[in-house]
Amino acid sequence: MAGRTWWFGLVAAAALGLVGPSAAEETPEDAAEADGGAANVDAMFEYLVAEIASQRGDTEGAISVYERLARELKDPQIAKRAVETAIRARAFGPALESATLLLELDPESALAREIMAALLANDADVNKARDTLARILEKTANRGPIIMQLAHLLGKFPDKAAVLAATRDVTVRYPIVESHYAVGVAAILAGQMDLALAEADAALQMKPAWEPGAILKAQALRKSAPAEVIPFYQKFVAANPGAQDVRMQLGREFAAERRLAEARDQFREAEKLAQNDSQASYAIGLLSLQLEDYADAQVEFNKALKQGYREPTAIYLGLGQAAEGLQHFDEAIGWYQRVDQGDWVRAQLKIATLIARQQGLAAGREYLQRIEPRSSDDSIQIVQVEAQLLRDAKEWKQTYEMLSEAVAKYPDSYELLYDRAMAAERIDKIDVLEADLRKVIKMKPDYAHAYNALGYTLVEKTNRLVEAKDLIEKAYKLAPDDPFILDSLGWVNFRMGQVGEALKHLQSAYSAKPDPEIAAHLGEVLWSNGKHDEAQKIWRAALTENPNHETLLAVMQKHRP
């Protein structure tokens, strides 16, 4: 059923005498379809009667016709019309009934869920909501979709233990798989993971291949035994290779663990199962970007675009990044220019960076200055990009001066303070760096990079090694997997003579990210430990990818045979 546009078109056509052939023109095929055609015409005119009744204020009569037609024709659009009519007339009882019908016909209807949740919460008494839901379910033939939504329908009540009790009371009469699901979700929200796992297992015992049951169990495991989530999902998809939703969830779990190649494999399998699923294609595109497989990213983003991905501007941004990764800079600019909302500022800043790379620093800065910021956050981002262009050109003093002006204008921006601290280090204003970074730490105590930057600078520029190590260890506690923080921790240990600890942290950092600066530090420690060949091998590999890196060149020159 195509919805209201279809209905109004046919109503208008009928009124103009354009529906159906005349008796003289009727064919045998037309005669065979006469009963169905008559029913359609009857339904059209009943819909028209309901519309007129609604306009004249006869809400009860209009809703009665809408609901009957929606049930007979199984058309969620007509049920939606009943909901809208009831809400407009502030007839909340009929609105609840119509929203229930809409949810039966369209279990994905956000309108139905929100209307029901709001109306059930209107009395501020979860027990009254429970009784209302019990009456609704008793009169409903297709209970499963409504029971599946109980957590949402009761979601506005803050007492989650009471919600769990109400959910159990409402579902106890209906021994169906959806009831176990509803109680399991309510148990998670109430913090009762043992009950949630038991309900998920009961659902899967009834329907072993039921994907909502598997996802429910994984959600409970995430709270109680997070290490078991991925193995559970892997076992489920091995037994049920066609489980598209679970494969998508497994892909997300792998991505969260930074197991990007495995994540992409799962999304590829999901994409095969539903060839028009733009979500899977978009996810593969993002993962391919992170894996620096730019050609594949282009293929997948274009697929998602053709499949009608809901946020095309996000795809334009991704296609721009992929083209940039392939060094197709004009193509990248073309994609970034198509971003007209959402990440518009980010796209504009990308364009400025590419213009600077192709036409020089002055052209890039000129483009930046033409961007009209929409907020103070936009203005700060524009300053940060201009500072990066200046840094790329090694204009250290100009970078510092420009950022100082920006800090004066936006004194509460920890981002600008951090950037100015990094610029101050380049022109040996260590006192400014320390003051700025201590301000950042005070403003944002969980900002690991501020502790790390201050600690690393104290290692490099002062003899305050104990203080430096304390700062870097604070950064490490906040972000234990960050390779640059691991690098700093290894380097301060080396400077303090703790070579074994230094080597452990630097090797972990280099394994996570073979950055040239990390390579320089790791090679230095290996060299000091007598492993000259191993050090040279790491340096040469890093130099191949980064032939102009200052720190790397300096350490290689220092230890040149």
Side-chain angles (χ1 to χ4, degrees):
M1 194 67 64
R4 285 181 62 197
T5 302
W6 180 86
W7 275 95
F8 285 128
L10 284 182
V11 167
L16 294 169
L18 300 176
V19 174
S22 68
E25 296 169 333
E26 191 174 62
T27 65
E29 290 80 4
D30 295 328
E33 295 177 3
D35 289 343
N40 279 339
V41 171
D42 288 344
M44 281 186 280
F45 280 106
E46 284 193 77
Y47 187 89
L48 182 58
V49 166
E51 287 288 297
I52 293 169
S54 174
Q55 291 169 15
R56 291 179 175 175
D58 181 8
T59 302
E60 185 178 350
I63 291 173
S64 175
V65 175
Y66 290 139
E67 287 191 353
R68 181 168 51 76
L69 286 174
R71 287 189 186 281
E72 290 174 359
L73 300 171
K74 295 182 171 55
D75 189 337
Q77 290 295 333
I78 304 177
K80 182 180 177 184
R81 181 65 175 148
V83 174
E84 292 167 346
T85 301
I87 290 294
R88 190 168 57 246
R90 301 184 65 78
F92 298 135
L96 183 60
E97 293 181 8
S98 298
T100 302
L101 173 58
L102 175 56
L103 194 61
E104 283 184 65
L105 296 172
D106 179 10
E108 301 301 317
S109 171
L111 173 68
R113 290 198 302 268
E114 292 303 325
I115 292 294
M116 291 184 72
L119 293 175
L120 288 167
N122 202 36
D123 290 326
D125 184 340
V126 71
N127 292 323
K128 287 184 179 178
R130 174 201 62 199
D131 295 343
T132 301
L133 282 167
R135 288 194 297 272
I136 287 171
L137 289 171
E138 192 173 351
K139 294 188 294 182
T140 300
N142 185 19
R143 299 184 179 98
I146 297 170
I147 290 175
M148 285 285 285
Q149 299 293 338
L150 284 179
H152 189 97
L153 300 182
L154 297 172
K156 295 185 185 296
F157 293 99
D159 186 344
K160 299 308 175 187
V163 169
L164 172 59
T167 303
R168 298 181 87 166
D169 289 345
V170 166
T171 58
V172 70
R173 294 179 56 193
Y174 308 109
I176 57 178
V177 69
E178 291 87 352
S179 294
H180 290 295
Y181 178 89
V183 175
V185 173
I188 290 175
L189 295 173
Q192 297 191 30
M193 296 309 136
D194 289 344
L195 175 59
L197 287 168
E199 293 293 337
D201 286 337
L204 289 170
Q205 191 170 5
M206 292 177 76
K207 286 187 178 181
W210 196 50
E211 293 186 70
I215 293 170
L216 172 64
K217 181 166 183 175
Q219 289 172 336
L221 286 172
R222 188 174 294 108
K223 301 281 188 180
S224 57
E228 295 180 24
V229 173
I230 287 177
F232 167 71
Y233 272 148
Q234 288 176 308
K235 185 177 179 182
F236 189 88
V237 296
N240 305 282
Q244 183 204 358
D245 289 342
V246 171
R247 284 194 182 277
M248 295 279 282
Q249 292 293 336
L250 178 54
R252 294 183 184 106
E253 294 291 339
F254 278 136
E257 295 285 324
R258 304 300 298 167
R259 295 162 65 174
L260 303 182
E262 292 168 282
R264 185 167 66 168
D265 288 344
Q266 290 303 322
F267 282 114
R268 284 204 198 283
E269 291 300 319
E271 185 183 47
K272 290 176 191 173
L273 292 167
Q275 295 183 3
N276 290 319
D277 186 350
S278 62
Q279 291 283 342
S281 300
Y282 180 66
I284 296 168
L286 289 178
L287 289 163
S288 293
L289 273 185
Q290 293 180 67
L291 290 164
E292 298 183 0
D293 186 352
Y294 300 117
D296 186 67
Q298 283 186 322
V299 169
E300 294 298 331
F301 283 136
N302 275 306
K303 272 189 203 174
L305 202 56
K306 289 176 184 174
Q307 292 160 352
Y309 185 70
R310 66 180 185 273
E311 296 178 25
T313 54
I315 294 182
Y316 301 150
L317 191 66
L319 284 165
Q321 290 172 290
E324 194 175 341
L326 293 168
Q327 308 287 301
H328 300 163
F329 299 133
D330 288 338
E331 181 186 347
I333 288 172
W335 284 116
Y336 291 142
Q337 286 173 334
R338 296 182 68 176
V339 177
D340 57 2
Q341 55 186 333
D343 282 319
W344 175 79
V345 170
R346 185 179 171 195
Q348 292 298 307
L349 300 179
K350 288 274 191 182
I351 293 170
T353 302
L354 291 174
I355 288 173
R357 182 178 296 180
Q358 291 180 296
Q359 301 174 31
L361 174 62
R365 294 184 74 185
E366 183 185 349
Y367 188 89
L368 279 174
Q369 287 157 12
R370 292 202 304 267
I371 297 172
E372 290 290 337
R374 301 174 181 179
S375 66
S376 59
D377 285 343
D378 288 355
S379 298
I380 289 168
Q381 287 185 58
I382 291 168
V383 170
Q384 287 184 290
V385 170
E386 187 171 3
Q388 185 59 53
L389 296 183
L390 289 166
R391 278 194 293 267
D392 291 343
K394 296 184 169 46
E395 296 286 353
W396 311 121
K397 187 171 183 295
Q398 200 173 352
T399 304
Y400 174 79
E401 290 170 351
M402 191 200 76
L403 285 167
S404 292
E405 290 178 12
V407 166
K409 188 174 182 181
Y410 302 103
D412 295 328
S413 169
Y414 75 88
E415 300 98 332
L416 292 177
L417 279 166
Y418 182 88
D419 286 354
R420 185 175 70 169
M422 298 300 95
E425 187 272 336
R426 283 292 188 166
I427 57 174
D428 288 324
K429 288 184 177 288
I430 305 306
D431 56 335
V432 176
L433 173 141
E434 184 168 357
D436 282 354
L437 290 178
R438 291 200 183 279
K439 280 183 190 174
V440 171
I441 288 168
K442 190 173 180 180
M443 294 165 70
K444 196 169 174 62
D446 60 347
Y447 190 36
H449 290 292
Y451 295 98
N452 184 57
L454 181 53
Y456 182 78
T457 303
L458 294 179
V459 174
E460 288 289 274
K461 302 288 186 178
T462 75
N463 59 0
R464 294 154 60 185
L465 297 181
V466 173
E467 185 180 356
K469 187 176 182 183
D470 181 59
L471 286 161
I472 294 167
E473 285 177 341
K474 285 179 181 175
Y476 177 70
K477 285 178 184 176
L478 290 166
D481 298 322
D482 188 297
F484 295 108
I485 293 172
L486 284 168
D487 172 60
S488 298
L489 192 55
W491 194 237
V492 73
N493 275 302
F494 174 64
R495 291 289 303 277
M496 297 176 80
Q498 298 164 352
V499 176
E501 279 293 296
L503 200 56
K504 179 181 75 174
H505 292 306
L506 287 166
Q507 285 173 332
S508 294
Y510 189 70
S511 296
K513 188 172 183 65
D515 179 83
E517 185 135 348
I518 299 174
H521 291 159
L522 176 57
E524 182 91 354
V525 175
L526 288 167
W527 186 281
S528 73
N529 213 24
K531 298 179 179 179
H532 295 180
D533 290 345
E534 194 174 340
Q536 290 281 6
K537 182 179 178 182
I538 287 171
W539 289 334
R540 282 195 295 268
L543 192 65
T544 301
E545 298 292 326
N546 307 273
N548 299 312
H549 194 273
E550 293 175 5
T551 304
L552 190 58
L553 289 169
V555 76
M556 292 182 75
Q557 181 66 31
K558 175 182 172 183
H559 296 293
R560 186 182 294 276

